Amino acid sequence: QVQLVESGGGLVQAGGSLRLSCAASGSIFSIYVMGWYRQAPGKERALVARIRSGGSTDYADSVKGRFTITRDNAKNTVYLQMNSLEPEDTAVYYCRLLGTGDYWGKGTLVTVSS
């Protein structure tokens, strides 16, 4: 089994920054992709950013230039640096790991006030 634990969510004013962390533990034999998804009230869960084992990244258009995903392979941890936050970024943010299985964290709430 693989466990993902997210941290770093909270309340921030528009224009502020937050850094999310997701630490993976357990029976990790291989990691192909780690990423962040978010789900706002009344909306479907959607990709925010992901990083592959080779280091290549993808971002949702709405966060390009504001968010940065990085990864510490030695710690099996992925980070999401979120700058210039907007009220539209308010959501529950979920970590996802694709390896031998497909694993999700429980989510961390990010609230951006205007």
Side-chain angles (χ1 to χ4, degrees), residues 22-101:
C22 171
S25 62
S27 304
I28 302 170
F29 299 105
S30 60
I31 299 176
Y32 304 126
V33 183
M34 290 189 76
W36 291 95
Y37 290 70
R38 69 186 180 187
Q39 187 166 17
K43 295 188 177 181
E44 294 186 353
R45 192 173 299 187
L47 174 70
V48 177
R50 61 189 171 199
I51 184 165
R52 297 177 183 81
S53 57
S56 61
T57 57
D58 298 310
Y59 293 92
D61 287 343
S62 59
V63 307
K64 284 180 181 177
R66 300 189 297 123
F67 292 10
T68 303
I69 188 169
T70 57
R71 180 170 159 179
D72 185 333
N73 290 330
K75 295 182 179 179
N76 289 329
T77 299
V78 65
Y79 305 95
L80 186 68
Q81 178 66 44
M82 305 186 294
N83 299 327
S84 302
L85 283 161
E86 304 168 352
E88 292 74 22
D89 297 315
T90 295
V92 178
Y93 284 69
Y94 297 90
C95 178
R96 185 183 188 186
L97 183 155
L98 282 170
T100 53

